[in-house]
Amino acid sequence: YFFRLAAPNTYAWLLMFFATFHLYLNAFAELTGFTDKNFYDDWWNSNTLGEYWRKWNLPVHNWLTRHIYYPLIRRKFSRGFSMFVVFIFSAIMHEYIVAGCIEQVTMIGFNSMAFQLP
C-alpha cells in the first residue's frame, strides 16, 4: 500500500517545493525588492544527507545556524551537542507543523526527522 503512494507523494512534494520556493517566495521577493533570492542551493546534487540538509532550505538552515547553533558554540557547548540541539529543535518544529495540519499530535513529523539521523 505504501509503495503505491511513494511516486505520487514524491511528485506532490516536488510540486510543493517548486510552488513554495520558486514561485511564491521569488514573487514575494520581487514585490518587496528583496534582492538576495537564494532560497535553495543545488540539493539534488548532494552526496550526503548532511549536505542535503544544508542545501535544500537555505532560509531555515541559516536561521537555525544563526539563532541556535552559533549561540550554543559561543557558550562553549561542543559542536556535536549543538548540532544535536538544532536537530531536535527542527524535529519538534516538524511535529508542530504536522500536528497543526492534522489537528492532533501523532509524532509523525518528529519521527520522520529522528529516523534520518546519520
Side-chain angles (χ1 to χ4, degrees), residues 55-83:
K55 289 182 170 185
W56 91 269
N57 192 343
L58 290 178
V60 172
H61 171 74
N62 292 339
W63 189 91
L64 290 171
T65 302
R66 184 181 320 119
H67 295 287
I68 297 176
Y69 180 76
Y70 286 142
L72 288 171
I73 293 295
R74 282 193 296 270
R75 288 178 176 81
K76 307 293 187 218
F77 286 99
S78 71
R79 186 173 179 262
F81 177 77
S82 300
M83 287 172 39

PDB file of all heavy atoms in Angstrom, residues 55-83:
ATOM      1  N   LYS A  55      21.556  22.345   2.000  1.00  0.00           N
ATOM      2  CA  LYS A  55      21.269  22.984   0.716  1.00  0.00           C
ATOM      3  C   LYS A  55      19.795  23.155   0.387  1.00  0.00           C
ATOM      4  O   LYS A  55      19.440  24.056  -0.368  1.00  0.00           O
ATOM      5  CB  LYS A  55      21.898  22.172  -0.417  1.00  0.00           C
ATOM      6  CG  LYS A  55      23.390  22.260  -0.468  1.00  0.00           C
ATOM      7  CD  LYS A  55      23.914  21.475  -1.640  1.00  0.00           C
ATOM      8  CE  LYS A  55      25.376  21.732  -1.865  1.00  0.00           C
ATOM      9  NZ  LYS A  55      25.846  21.054  -3.061  1.00  0.00           N
ATOM     10  N   TRP A  56      18.917  22.329   0.901  1.00  0.00           N
ATOM     11  CA  TRP A  56      17.557  22.318   0.347  1.00  0.00           C
ATOM     12  C   TRP A  56      16.696  23.467   0.839  1.00  0.00           C
ATOM     13  O   TRP A  56      15.779  23.867   0.145  1.00  0.00           O
ATOM     14  CB  TRP A  56      16.892  20.968   0.578  1.00  0.00           C
ATOM     15  CG  TRP A  56      16.107  20.861   1.839  1.00  0.00           C
ATOM     16  CD1 TRP A  56      16.558  20.444   3.035  1.00  0.00           C
ATOM     17  CD2 TRP A  56      14.738  21.188   2.022  1.00  0.00           C
ATOM     18  NE1 TRP A  56      15.564  20.483   3.958  1.00  0.00           N
ATOM     19  CE2 TRP A  56      14.418  20.933   3.360  1.00  0.00           C
ATOM     20  CE3 TRP A  56      13.733  21.665   1.180  1.00  0.00           C
ATOM     21  CZ2 TRP A  56      13.163  21.150   3.879  1.00  0.00           C
ATOM     22  CZ3 TRP A  56      12.478  21.886   1.703  1.00  0.00           C
ATOM     23  CH2 TRP A  56      12.208  21.615   3.037  1.00  0.00           C
ATOM     24  N   ASN A  57      16.932  24.019   2.008  1.00  0.00           N
ATOM     25  CA  ASN A  57      16.109  25.105   2.520  1.00  0.00           C
ATOM     26  C   ASN A  57      17.024  26.104   3.223  1.00  0.00           C
ATOM     27  O   ASN A  57      17.130  26.106   4.444  1.00  0.00           O
ATOM     28  CB  ASN A  57      15.053  24.548   3.476  1.00  0.00           C
ATOM     29  CG  ASN A  57      13.997  25.553   3.827  1.00  0.00           C
ATOM     30  OD1 ASN A  57      14.183  26.755   3.633  1.00  0.00           O
ATOM     31  ND2 ASN A  57      12.889  25.086   4.348  1.00  0.00           N
ATOM     32  N   LEU A  58      17.649  26.961   2.454  1.00  0.00           N
ATOM     33  CA  LEU A  58      18.649  27.874   2.999  1.00  0.00           C
ATOM     34  C   LEU A  58      18.103  28.861   4.027  1.00  0.00           C
ATOM     35  O   LEU A  58      18.774  29.120   5.026  1.00  0.00           O
ATOM     36  CB  LEU A  58      19.363  28.615   1.872  1.00  0.00           C
ATOM     37  CG  LEU A  58      20.291  27.744   1.025  1.00  0.00           C
ATOM     38  CD1 LEU A  58      20.917  28.572  -0.089  1.00  0.00           C
ATOM     39  CD2 LEU A  58      21.350  27.097   1.869  1.00  0.00           C
ATOM     40  N   PRO A  59      16.915  29.440   3.864  1.00  0.00           N
ATOM     41  CA  PRO A  59      16.441  30.353   4.913  1.00  0.00           C
ATOM     42  C   PRO A  59      16.310  29.668   6.274  1.00  0.00           C
ATOM     43  O   PRO A  59      16.701  30.227   7.296  1.00  0.00           O
ATOM     44  CB  PRO A  59      15.087  30.830   4.387  1.00  0.00           C
ATOM     45  CG  PRO A  59      15.173  30.692   2.915  1.00  0.00           C
ATOM     46  CD  PRO A  59      16.025  29.470   2.690  1.00  0.00           C
ATOM     47  N   VAL A  60      15.773  28.456   6.297  1.00  0.00           N
ATOM     48  CA  VAL A  60      15.627  27.741   7.565  1.00  0.00           C
ATOM     49  C   VAL A  60      16.993  27.330   8.099  1.00  0.00           C
ATOM     50  O   VAL A  60      17.283  27.484   9.292  1.00  0.00           O
ATOM     51  CB  VAL A  60      14.700  26.515   7.396  1.00  0.00           C
ATOM     52  CG1 VAL A  60      14.703  25.655   8.649  1.00  0.00           C
ATOM     53  CG2 VAL A  60      13.299  26.967   7.067  1.00  0.00           C
ATOM     54  N   HIS A  61      17.858  26.811   7.227  1.00  0.00           N
ATOM     55  CA  HIS A  61      19.200  26.413   7.662  1.00  0.00           C
ATOM     56  C   HIS A  61      19.957  27.607   8.238  1.00  0.00           C
ATOM     57  O   HIS A  61      20.578  27.499   9.308  1.00  0.00           O
ATOM     58  CB  HIS A  61      19.985  25.807   6.491  1.00  0.00           C
ATOM     59  CG  HIS A  61      21.422  25.572   6.812  1.00  0.00           C
ATOM     60  ND1 HIS A  61      21.838  24.543   7.619  1.00  0.00           N
ATOM     61  CD2 HIS A  61      22.535  26.244   6.466  1.00  0.00           C
ATOM     62  CE1 HIS A  61      23.151  24.584   7.747  1.00  0.00           C
ATOM     63  NE2 HIS A  61      23.594  25.616   7.056  1.00  0.00           N
ATOM     64  N   ASN A  62      19.914  28.733   7.549  1.00  0.00           N
ATOM     65  CA  ASN A  62      20.631  29.919   8.031  1.00  0.00           C
ATOM     66  C   ASN A  62      20.054  30.416   9.352  1.00  0.00           C
ATOM     67  O   ASN A  62      20.803  30.838  10.233  1.00  0.00           O
ATOM     68  CB  ASN A  62      20.592  31.027   6.983  1.00  0.00           C
ATOM     69  CG  ASN A  62      21.408  30.671   5.762  1.00  0.00           C
ATOM     70  OD1 ASN A  62      22.290  29.821   5.815  1.00  0.00           O
ATOM     71  ND2 ASN A  62      21.099  31.293   4.648  1.00  0.00           N
ATOM     72  N   TRP A  63      18.722  30.368   9.521  1.00  0.00           N
ATOM     73  CA  TRP A  63      18.112  30.804  10.766  1.00  0.00           C
ATOM     74  C   TRP A  63      18.528  29.895  11.919  1.00  0.00           C
ATOM     75  O   TRP A  63      18.890  30.378  13.000  1.00  0.00           O
ATOM     76  CB  TRP A  63      16.585  30.822  10.628  1.00  0.00           C
ATOM     77  CG  TRP A  63      15.925  31.455  11.807  1.00  0.00           C
ATOM     78  CD1 TRP A  63      15.607  32.761  11.961  1.00  0.00           C
ATOM     79  CD2 TRP A  63      15.524  30.792  13.026  1.00  0.00           C
ATOM     80  NE1 TRP A  63      15.018  32.964  13.187  1.00  0.00           N
ATOM     81  CE2 TRP A  63      14.962  31.770  13.863  1.00  0.00           C
ATOM     82  CE3 TRP A  63      15.590  29.492  13.482  1.00  0.00           C
ATOM     83  CZ2 TRP A  63      14.473  31.478  15.121  1.00  0.00           C
ATOM     84  CZ3 TRP A  63      15.096  29.202  14.745  1.00  0.00           C
ATOM     85  CH2 TRP A  63      14.549  30.182  15.548  1.00  0.00           C
ATOM     86  N   LEU A  64      18.460  28.577  11.709  1.00  0.00           N
ATOM     87  CA  LEU A  64      18.853  27.637  12.763  1.00  0.00           C
ATOM     88  C   LEU A  64      20.327  27.804  13.132  1.00  0.00           C
ATOM     89  O   LEU A  64      20.691  27.765  14.307  1.00  0.00           O
ATOM     90  CB  LEU A  64      18.584  26.197  12.319  1.00  0.00           C
ATOM     91  CG  LEU A  64      17.115  25.792  12.218  1.00  0.00           C
ATOM     92  CD1 LEU A  64      16.995  24.427  11.560  1.00  0.00           C
ATOM     93  CD2 LEU A  64      16.457  25.785  13.577  1.00  0.00           C
ATOM     94  N   THR A  65      21.162  28.002  12.118  1.00  0.00           N
ATOM     95  CA  THR A  65      22.595  28.188  12.378  1.00  0.00           C
ATOM     96  C   THR A  65      22.837  29.471  13.169  1.00  0.00           C
ATOM     97  O   THR A  65      23.560  29.468  14.156  1.00  0.00           O
ATOM     98  CB  THR A  65      23.371  28.225  11.055  1.00  0.00           C
ATOM     99  OG1 THR A  65      23.122  27.015  10.341  1.00  0.00           O
ATOM    100  CG2 THR A  65      24.861  28.360  11.291  1.00  0.00           C
ATOM    101  N   ARG A  66      22.220  30.547  12.744  1.00  0.00           N
ATOM    102  CA  ARG A  66      22.446  31.856  13.365  1.00  0.00           C
ATOM    103  C   ARG A  66      21.862  31.955  14.768  1.00  0.00           C
ATOM    104  O   ARG A  66      22.493  32.521  15.669  1.00  0.00           O
ATOM    105  CB  ARG A  66      21.850  32.947  12.474  1.00  0.00           C
ATOM    106  CG  ARG A  66      22.108  34.346  12.953  1.00  0.00           C
ATOM    107  CD  ARG A  66      21.471  35.417  12.065  1.00  0.00           C
ATOM    108  NE  ARG A  66      21.563  35.119  10.652  1.00  0.00           N
ATOM    109  CZ  ARG A  66      20.496  34.946   9.849  1.00  0.00           C
ATOM    110  NH1 ARG A  66      19.281  35.061  10.322  1.00  0.00           N
ATOM    111  NH2 ARG A  66      20.662  34.682   8.576  1.00  0.00           N
ATOM    112  N   HIS A  67      20.671  31.414  14.987  1.00  0.00           N
ATOM    113  CA  HIS A  67      19.963  31.656  16.249  1.00  0.00           C
ATOM    114  C   HIS A  67      20.039  30.518  17.264  1.00  0.00           C
ATOM    115  O   HIS A  67      19.696  30.740  18.432  1.00  0.00           O
ATOM    116  CB  HIS A  67      18.497  31.982  15.966  1.00  0.00           C
ATOM    117  CG  HIS A  67      18.331  33.255  15.219  1.00  0.00           C
ATOM    118  ND1 HIS A  67      18.526  34.487  15.791  1.00  0.00           N
ATOM    119  CD2 HIS A  67      18.027  33.499  13.918  1.00  0.00           C
ATOM    120  CE1 HIS A  67      18.330  35.438  14.892  1.00  0.00           C
ATOM    121  NE2 HIS A  67      18.028  34.860  13.751  1.00  0.00           N
ATOM    122  N   ILE A  68      20.472  29.341  16.851  1.00  0.00           N
ATOM    123  CA  ILE A  68      20.571  28.234  17.808  1.00  0.00           C
ATOM    124  C   ILE A  68      21.985  27.675  17.861  1.00  0.00           C
ATOM    125  O   ILE A  68      22.584  27.584  18.934  1.00  0.00           O
ATOM    126  CB  ILE A  68      19.556  27.113  17.474  1.00  0.00           C
ATOM    127  CG1 ILE A  68      18.134  27.658  17.586  1.00  0.00           C
ATOM    128  CG2 ILE A  68      19.736  25.922  18.409  1.00  0.00           C
ATOM    129  CD1 ILE A  68      17.073  26.684  17.189  1.00  0.00           C
ATOM    130  N   TYR A  69      22.547  27.314  16.701  1.00  0.00           N
ATOM    131  CA  TYR A  69      23.858  26.649  16.683  1.00  0.00           C
ATOM    132  C   TYR A  69      24.985  27.566  17.180  1.00  0.00           C
ATOM    133  O   TYR A  69      25.712  27.213  18.103  1.00  0.00           O
ATOM    134  CB  TYR A  69      24.161  26.149  15.266  1.00  0.00           C
ATOM    135  CG  TYR A  69      25.487  25.456  15.148  1.00  0.00           C
ATOM    136  CD1 TYR A  69      25.649  24.160  15.634  1.00  0.00           C
ATOM    137  CD2 TYR A  69      26.581  26.079  14.571  1.00  0.00           C
ATOM    138  CE1 TYR A  69      26.860  23.512  15.530  1.00  0.00           C
ATOM    139  CE2 TYR A  69      27.789  25.445  14.458  1.00  0.00           C
ATOM    140  CZ  TYR A  69      27.928  24.160  14.939  1.00  0.00           C
ATOM    141  OH  TYR A  69      29.136  23.529  14.848  1.00  0.00           O
ATOM    142  N   TYR A  70      25.150  28.736  16.564  1.00  0.00           N
ATOM    143  CA  TYR A  70      26.254  29.626  16.954  1.00  0.00           C
ATOM    144  C   TYR A  70      26.158  30.122  18.398  1.00  0.00           C
ATOM    145  O   TYR A  70      27.175  30.185  19.090  1.00  0.00           O
ATOM    146  CB  TYR A  70      26.395  30.796  15.988  1.00  0.00           C
ATOM    147  CG  TYR A  70      27.000  30.400  14.661  1.00  0.00           C
ATOM    148  CD1 TYR A  70      26.559  30.965  13.486  1.00  0.00           C
ATOM    149  CD2 TYR A  70      28.008  29.450  14.575  1.00  0.00           C
ATOM    150  CE1 TYR A  70      27.097  30.608  12.262  1.00  0.00           C
ATOM    151  CE2 TYR A  70      28.553  29.079  13.369  1.00  0.00           C
ATOM    152  CZ  TYR A  70      28.093  29.666  12.213  1.00  0.00           C
ATOM    153  OH  TYR A  70      28.640  29.304  11.011  1.00  0.00           O
ATOM    154  N   PRO A  71      24.970  30.473  18.911  1.00  0.00           N
ATOM    155  CA  PRO A  71      24.908  30.851  20.334  1.00  0.00           C
ATOM    156  C   PRO A  71      25.343  29.713  21.271  1.00  0.00           C
ATOM    157  O   PRO A  71      25.982  29.971  22.295  1.00  0.00           O
ATOM    158  CB  PRO A  71      23.438  31.212  20.549  1.00  0.00           C
ATOM    159  CG  PRO A  71      22.981  31.689  19.224  1.00  0.00           C
ATOM    160  CD  PRO A  71      23.693  30.811  18.239  1.00  0.00           C
ATOM    161  N   LEU A  72      25.005  28.479  20.929  1.00  0.00           N
ATOM    162  CA  LEU A  72      25.471  27.355  21.753  1.00  0.00           C
ATOM    163  C   LEU A  72      26.982  27.199  21.673  1.00  0.00           C
ATOM    164  O   LEU A  72      27.643  26.940  22.686  1.00  0.00           O
ATOM    165  CB  LEU A  72      24.782  26.060  21.318  1.00  0.00           C
ATOM    166  CG  LEU A  72      23.297  25.946  21.676  1.00  0.00           C
ATOM    167  CD1 LEU A  72      22.687  24.723  21.012  1.00  0.00           C
ATOM    168  CD2 LEU A  72      23.104  25.900  23.173  1.00  0.00           C
ATOM    169  N   ILE A  73      27.547  27.354  20.493  1.00  0.00           N
ATOM    170  CA  ILE A  73      29.005  27.263  20.321  1.00  0.00           C
ATOM    171  C   ILE A  73      29.692  28.371  21.124  1.00  0.00           C
ATOM    172  O   ILE A  73      30.718  28.131  21.774  1.00  0.00           O
ATOM    173  CB  ILE A  73      29.386  27.341  18.826  1.00  0.00           C
ATOM    174  CG1 ILE A  73      28.877  26.107  18.075  1.00  0.00           C
ATOM    175  CG2 ILE A  73      30.883  27.513  18.626  1.00  0.00           C
ATOM    176  CD1 ILE A  73      29.508  24.804  18.493  1.00  0.00           C
ATOM    177  N   ARG A  74      29.131  29.586  21.086  1.00  0.00           N
ATOM    178  CA  ARG A  74      29.723  30.700  21.845  1.00  0.00           C
ATOM    179  C   ARG A  74      29.656  30.468  23.349  1.00  0.00           C
ATOM    180  O   ARG A  74      30.473  31.005  24.099  1.00  0.00           O
ATOM    181  CB  ARG A  74      29.024  32.017  21.490  1.00  0.00           C
ATOM    182  CG  ARG A  74      29.470  32.590  20.168  1.00  0.00           C
ATOM    183  CD  ARG A  74      29.023  34.027  19.987  1.00  0.00           C
ATOM    184  NE  ARG A  74      27.582  34.173  19.930  1.00  0.00           N
ATOM    185  CZ  ARG A  74      26.853  34.122  18.826  1.00  0.00           C
ATOM    186  NH1 ARG A  74      27.434  33.925  17.668  1.00  0.00           N
ATOM    187  NH2 ARG A  74      25.544  34.283  18.879  1.00  0.00           N
ATOM    188  N   ARG A  75      28.695  29.675  23.798  1.00  0.00           N
ATOM    189  CA  ARG A  75      28.584  29.343  25.223  1.00  0.00           C
ATOM    190  C   ARG A  75      29.405  28.105  25.580  1.00  0.00           C
ATOM    191  O   ARG A  75      29.197  27.488  26.624  1.00  0.00           O
ATOM    192  CB  ARG A  75      27.120  29.137  25.601  1.00  0.00           C
ATOM    193  CG  ARG A  75      26.353  30.447  25.636  1.00  0.00           C
ATOM    194  CD  ARG A  75      24.888  30.230  25.970  1.00  0.00           C
ATOM    195  NE  ARG A  75      24.162  31.461  26.102  1.00  0.00           N
ATOM    196  CZ  ARG A  75      23.677  32.180  25.102  1.00  0.00           C
ATOM    197  NH1 ARG A  75      23.859  31.796  23.865  1.00  0.00           N
ATOM    198  NH2 ARG A  75      23.008  33.301  25.324  1.00  0.00           N
ATOM    199  N   LYS A  76      30.303  27.716  24.694  1.00  0.00           N
ATOM    200  CA  LYS A  76      31.287  26.643  24.918  1.00  0.00           C
ATOM    201  C   LYS A  76      30.680  25.235  24.939  1.00  0.00           C
ATOM    202  O   LYS A  76      31.246  24.325  25.515  1.00  0.00           O
ATOM    203  CB  LYS A  76      32.074  26.876  26.223  1.00  0.00           C
ATOM    204  CG  LYS A  76      32.720  28.223  26.324  1.00  0.00           C
ATOM    205  CD  LYS A  76      33.823  28.375  25.304  1.00  0.00           C
ATOM    206  CE  LYS A  76      34.553  29.688  25.565  1.00  0.00           C
ATOM    207  NZ  LYS A  76      34.932  30.365  24.379  1.00  0.00           N
ATOM    208  N   PHE A  77      29.495  25.063  24.313  1.00  0.00           N
ATOM    209  CA  PHE A  77      28.984  23.712  24.140  1.00  0.00           C
ATOM    210  C   PHE A  77      29.734  23.063  22.989  1.00  0.00           C
ATOM    211  O   PHE A  77      30.231  23.747  22.079  1.00  0.00           O
ATOM    212  CB  PHE A  77      27.482  23.730  23.844  1.00  0.00           C
ATOM    213  CG  PHE A  77      26.646  24.053  25.046  1.00  0.00           C
ATOM    214  CD1 PHE A  77      26.166  25.336  25.248  1.00  0.00           C
ATOM    215  CD2 PHE A  77      26.339  23.070  25.971  1.00  0.00           C
ATOM    216  CE1 PHE A  77      25.392  25.645  26.350  1.00  0.00           C
ATOM    217  CE2 PHE A  77      25.561  23.367  27.085  1.00  0.00           C
ATOM    218  CZ  PHE A  77      25.094  24.654  27.277  1.00  0.00           C
ATOM    219  N   SER A  78      29.815  21.753  22.988  1.00  0.00           N
ATOM    220  CA  SER A  78      30.538  21.060  21.926  1.00  0.00           C
ATOM    221  C   SER A  78      29.785  21.170  20.609  1.00  0.00           C
ATOM    222  O   SER A  78      28.570  21.413  20.572  1.00  0.00           O
ATOM    223  CB  SER A  78      30.726  19.588  22.286  1.00  0.00           C
ATOM    224  OG  SER A  78      29.491  18.907  22.221  1.00  0.00           O
ATOM    225  N   ARG A  79      30.518  20.971  19.531  1.00  0.00           N
ATOM    226  CA  ARG A  79      29.927  21.027  18.197  1.00  0.00           C
ATOM    227  C   ARG A  79      28.857  19.949  18.038  1.00  0.00           C
ATOM    228  O   ARG A  79      27.773  20.198  17.498  1.00  0.00           O
ATOM    229  CB  ARG A  79      31.038  20.855  17.169  1.00  0.00           C
ATOM    230  CG  ARG A  79      30.615  21.023  15.761  1.00  0.00           C
ATOM    231  CD  ARG A  79      31.842  20.994  14.828  1.00  0.00           C
ATOM    232  NE  ARG A  79      31.424  21.130  13.471  1.00  0.00           N
ATOM    233  CZ  ARG A  79      31.259  20.114  12.630  1.00  0.00           C
ATOM    234  NH1 ARG A  79      31.509  18.888  13.034  1.00  0.00           N
ATOM    235  NH2 ARG A  79      30.862  20.315  11.393  1.00  0.00           N
ATOM    236  N   GLY A  80      29.132  18.747  18.500  1.00  0.00           N
ATOM    237  CA  GLY A  80      28.181  17.647  18.397  1.00  0.00           C
ATOM    238  C   GLY A  80      26.903  17.902  19.170  1.00  0.00           C
ATOM    239  O   GLY A  80      25.801  17.636  18.679  1.00  0.00           O
ATOM    240  N   PHE A  81      27.044  18.413  20.397  1.00  0.00           N
ATOM    241  CA  PHE A  81      25.863  18.718  21.209  1.00  0.00           C
ATOM    242  C   PHE A  81      25.043  19.819  20.559  1.00  0.00           C
ATOM    243  O   PHE A  81      23.808  19.755  20.532  1.00  0.00           O
ATOM    244  CB  PHE A  81      26.272  19.121  22.626  1.00  0.00           C
ATOM    245  CG  PHE A  81      25.111  19.514  23.490  1.00  0.00           C
ATOM    246  CD1 PHE A  81      24.292  18.544  24.044  1.00  0.00           C
ATOM    247  CD2 PHE A  81      24.825  20.851  23.729  1.00  0.00           C
ATOM    248  CE1 PHE A  81      23.202  18.896  24.832  1.00  0.00           C
ATOM    249  CE2 PHE A  81      23.744  21.215  24.514  1.00  0.00           C
ATOM    250  CZ  PHE A  81      22.935  20.235  25.063  1.00  0.00           C
ATOM    251  N   SER A  82      25.703  20.842  20.029  1.00  0.00           N
ATOM    252  CA  SER A  82      25.000  21.945  19.384  1.00  0.00           C
ATOM    253  C   SER A  82      24.230  21.463  18.161  1.00  0.00           C
ATOM    254  O   SER A  82      23.078  21.857  17.943  1.00  0.00           O
ATOM    255  CB  SER A  82      25.986  23.044  18.984  1.00  0.00           C
ATOM    256  OG  SER A  82      26.651  23.544  20.117  1.00  0.00           O
ATOM    257  N   MET A  83      24.841  20.580  17.375  1.00  0.00           N
ATOM    258  CA  MET A  83      24.152  20.020  16.212  1.00  0.00           C
ATOM    259  C   MET A  83      22.959  19.177  16.649  1.00  0.00           C
ATOM    260  O   MET A  83      21.896  19.215  16.014  1.00  0.00           O
ATOM    261  CB  MET A  83      25.122  19.187  15.369  1.00  0.00           C
ATOM    262  CG  MET A  83      26.110  20.036  14.609  1.00  0.00           C
ATOM    263  SD  MET A  83      27.452  19.176  13.760  1.00  0.00           S
ATOM    264  CE  MET A  83      26.723  17.730  13.113  1.00  0.00           C
TER     265      MET A  83
END
